[in-house]
């Protein structure tokens, strides 16, 4: 008992921090979502009015949700494919592999603000490196972030810059696959493609599942890059949900409404996560 | 024994950890703002500290700190302590400080949200702090743009300190190269657009190397068409009007003639506009450009030998002369300020409410517009105008009654964001000007209705 108390005492700074800066705001926001609250004066109860407006009276809410869903549908599968592909390449037994792994991992630890600023230049249609390289081979590059058709795909492509983080997890998963499975497959005459499809991917599926869940949670909260690079433009084509939520809270002093948006987002993420958990029976293979 | 000692040490450490965590989280807050070392309180006689937050940086910061030093030197009661807050985080920091009950005593604001914040109860009314003489002087002696702004529902929540207006900067050398007379600047917007098209230059790939004149931005051009965004009779935003439609039609058609994709690619290759030294006008990327009065001093600093001139934006046929959109910098006193009296003394001193001639020197050192004829005619300001004759155009604009500002409605930032968004849609050709303005009206009305239903704007 006393030992336990000493342990709790040691982690008390974290517990206090969690209670004050996570649990309390989290629970407060439930109440705030049923109020009108401008941050400065006390909240006033308005019942479900914020949720009613979200459902029926705010086209920007639906537009921003649409942008975010579109982004998620492009970015999550692409980052899984890129992460697994890179991990497979970096799992090869060649000279200098540690260096390659480091090179591919480093971008994922860079601050997203710095990355955004660099990509603003890279994707500049006139003086950016990407279009200059394309021009060198005779291709007229698109307008990237300044085109409503290209801005969202540009951010999707940019999101691959940080794929090193999930790549390391896939790599750990690959290292965990028992060698005897590959030996048995080789004896059965399996081709490399068959080994990938029938051994590697099923054995890696728990890791893929984990990264898909984390990816979905991440893309639905996508904010920094859009805030810095496009501010929601051009033509609202990158007006992400989290960006609109931020505007509602801090630009329009509409914290009650923003709290309601936060809870809708929470329910969306929970629902998608639930769906993914429900679907894992069909495609996630746990050894043993 | 050893085990006991280890236990005691562990328990003591645990107790220390708890105590430390509790101290950090529950201790009564000190004033967290750190005074700039240059303004550490003078030892004697002791003065009341007045915390002042601002967003000026780079070349403006020492100018602003000089104003503070002048005020402090004039005082025996108050000591203003300036704290620079980064522009990008200033609003959030300010609102959080107000919500937390520990705001600064005075804050300089650029965000055009005085009405919103006044309505939200963030700011103190200032007209109640004026003496009758000050009130008379403020209402009758200052230019309209100064005494008409900063109000919301009969209360003055921000005292206008500086006003940004827009006029045409142009390059006489490029006029001459094109066979045009720089002494005869076009007197209608249509003529200016025509002159601009003759000044365009393209490179061998057909890309723009220079644009003669690129009109963009509904807020900047609507005033010349007699447009605007507010109806003072109903105290509501007024958006879908024939004047605004004419302005948006003009911008859209001019953009289409130039080729919007080519224009966007050209603009993307330009240096940042925010930095005075990199202003594209300096490197000759534009012959005529609509910009603010602060560029005069930047040109003196970064391109002292460059020949340029300034003229008011010529009105379209049937439009309004000497018209411009005006953005305003305010001095505000937040609710919860510990020393509002000291804050008010500082505001009066800086704005020139009690002595416009003294404040004229401050405005001149910043390159700001004068707030009243008295300030304009003061020796300090006249000396400034002799030094920078191109500034005369802006002074004429400051006195104009054709200035349009952010509407004093409680949803100011929503409104300005939507205006910008719909303007962009129209100018890029995604929707017609008619549809853009209709959408703008619908979305604004929807927001108004929502706020009414929630009881926000009672």
């Amino acid at each position: 008992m006393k030992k336990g108390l000493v342990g709790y005492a040691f982690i008390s700074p974290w517990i206090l921090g969690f209670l004050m800066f996570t649990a309390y705001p989290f629970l407060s926001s439930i109440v705030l979502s049923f109020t009108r609250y401008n941050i400065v004066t006390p909240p006033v109860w308005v019942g479900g009015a914020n949720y009613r407006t979200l459902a029926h009276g705010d086209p920007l809410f639906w537009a921003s949700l649409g942008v975010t869903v579109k982004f998620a549908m492009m970015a999550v599968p692409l980052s899984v494919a890129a992460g697994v592909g890179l991990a497979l390449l970096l799992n090869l037994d060649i000279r200098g592999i540690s260096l390659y792994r480091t090179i591919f991992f480093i971008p994922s630890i860079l601050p997203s603000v710095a990355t955004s600023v660099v990509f603003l230049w890279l994707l500049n249609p006139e003086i950016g490196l990407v279009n200059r390289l394309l021009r060198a081979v005779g291709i007229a590059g698109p307008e990237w972030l300044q085109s409503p058709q290209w801005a969202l795909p540009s951010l999707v492509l940019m999101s691959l810059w940080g794929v090193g983080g999930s790549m390391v997890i896939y790599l750990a998963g690959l290292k965990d696959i028992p060698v005897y499975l590959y030996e048995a497959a080789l004896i059965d005459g399996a081709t490399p493609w068959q080994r990938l499809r029938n051994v590697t991917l099923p054995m890696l599926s728990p890791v893929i599942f984990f990264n898909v869940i984390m990816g979905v949670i991440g893309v639905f909260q996508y904010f920094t890059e859009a805030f810095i690079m496009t501010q929601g433009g051009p033509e609202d084509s990158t007006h992400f949900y989290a960006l609109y939520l931020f505007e509602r809270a801090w630009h329009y002093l509409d914290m009650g409404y923003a709290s309601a948006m936060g809870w809708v987002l929470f329910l969306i993420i929970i629902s998608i996560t639930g769906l993914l958990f429900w679907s894992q029976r069909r495609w996630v293979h746990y050894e043993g | 024994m050893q085990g006991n000692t280890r236990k005691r040490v562990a328990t003591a450490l645990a107790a220390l950890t708890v105590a430390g965590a509790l101290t950090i989280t529950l201790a009564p807050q000190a004033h967290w703002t750190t005074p700039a070392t240059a303004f550490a309180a003078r030892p004697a006689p002791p003065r009341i500290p007045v915390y002042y937050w601002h967003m000026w940086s780079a070349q403006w910061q020492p100018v602003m700190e000089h104003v503070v030093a002048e005020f402090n030197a004039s005082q025996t009661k108050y000591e203003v302590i300036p704290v620079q807050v980064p522009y990008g985080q200033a609003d959030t920091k300010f609102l959080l400080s107000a919500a937390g009950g520990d705001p600064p005593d005075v804050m300089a604001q650029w965000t055009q949200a005085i009405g919103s914040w006044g309505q939200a109860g963030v700011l103190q009314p200032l007209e109640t702090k004026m003496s009758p003489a000050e009130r008379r002087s403020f209402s009758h002696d200052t230019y309209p743009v100064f005494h008409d702004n900063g109000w919301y529902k009969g209360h003055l929540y921000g005292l206008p300190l500086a006003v940004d207006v827009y006029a045409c900067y142009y390059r006489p050398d490029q006029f001459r190269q094109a066979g045009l007379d720089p002494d005869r600047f076009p007197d209608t917007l249509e003529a200016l657009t025509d002159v601009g098209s003759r000044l365009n230059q393209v490179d061998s790939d057909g890309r723009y190397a220079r644009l003669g004149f690129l009109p963009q931005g509904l807020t900047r051009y609507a005033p010349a068409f007699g447009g605007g965004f507010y109806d003072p009779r109903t105290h509501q935003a007024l958006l879908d009007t024939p004047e605004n439609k004419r302005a948006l039609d003009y911008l859209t058609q001019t953009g289409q003639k130039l080729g919007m994709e080519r224009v966007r690619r050209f603009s993307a290759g330009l240096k940042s506009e925010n930095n005075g030294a990199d202003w594209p006008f300096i490197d000759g990327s534009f012959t005529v450009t609509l910009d603010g009065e602060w560029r005069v001093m930047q040109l003196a600093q970064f391109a002292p030998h460059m020949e340029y001139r300034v003229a008011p934006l010529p009105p379209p046929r049937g439009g309004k002369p000497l018209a411009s959109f005006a953005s305003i910098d305010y001095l505000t006193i937040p609710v919860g300020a510990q020393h509002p009296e000291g804050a008010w003394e500082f505001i009066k001193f800086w704005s020139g409410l009690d002595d416009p001639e003294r404040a004229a020197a401050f405005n001149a050192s910043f390159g700001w517009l004068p707030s009243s004829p008295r300030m304009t005619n003061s020796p300090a300001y006249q000396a400034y105008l002799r030094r920078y004759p191109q500034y005369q155009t802006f002074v004429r604009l400051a006195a104009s009654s054709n200035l349009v500002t952010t509407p004093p409605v409680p949803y100011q930032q929503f409104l300005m964001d939507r205006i910008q968004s719909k303007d962009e849609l129209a100018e890029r050709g995604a929707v017609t000007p008619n549809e853009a303005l209709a959408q703008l009206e619908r979305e604004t009305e929807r927001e108004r209705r929502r706020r009414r239903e929630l009881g926000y704007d009672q």
Side-chain angles (χ1 to χ4, degrees), chain A residues 9 12-13 36-41 49 53 57 59 124 126 141 143 146 148 235-236 248 250-254 257, chain B residues 14 17-18 95-96 99 117 120 122 207 261 264-265 268 413-414 417 421 424 428 430 446-447 450 454-456:
Chain A
S12 62
R36 72 161 199 262
Y37 177 46
N38 65 12
I39 303 167
V40 181
T41 51
T53 306
N124 184 299
E126 204 59 14
E143 286 183 84
Q146 296 180 27
E235 299 173 29
D236 284 338
R248 275 284 167 192
W250 292 107
H251 287 187
Y252 313 152
L253 297 189
D254 222 342
Y257 194 76
Chain B
T17 309
V18 174
L95 291 167
L96 282 173
W117 292 349
V122 181
R207 295 183 306 189
E261 189 183 336
R264 282 199 298 271
R265 285 180 180 273
Q413 287 198 280
F414 173 89
D417 282 356
S421 168
E424 183 195 43
R428 293 175 71 105
R446 195 181 288 120
E447 179 69 7
R450 189 185 77 82
L454 292 180
Y456 261 118

Side-chain angles (χ1 to χ4, degrees), chain B residues 439-451:
Chain B
Q439 282 181 19
L440 179 60
E441 195 70 72
R442 274 199 306 273
E443 286 177 22
T444 306
E445 176 51 36
R446 195 181 288 120
E447 179 69 7
R448 247 197 315 256
R449 202 170 47 239
R450 189 185 77 82
R451 292 179 67 93

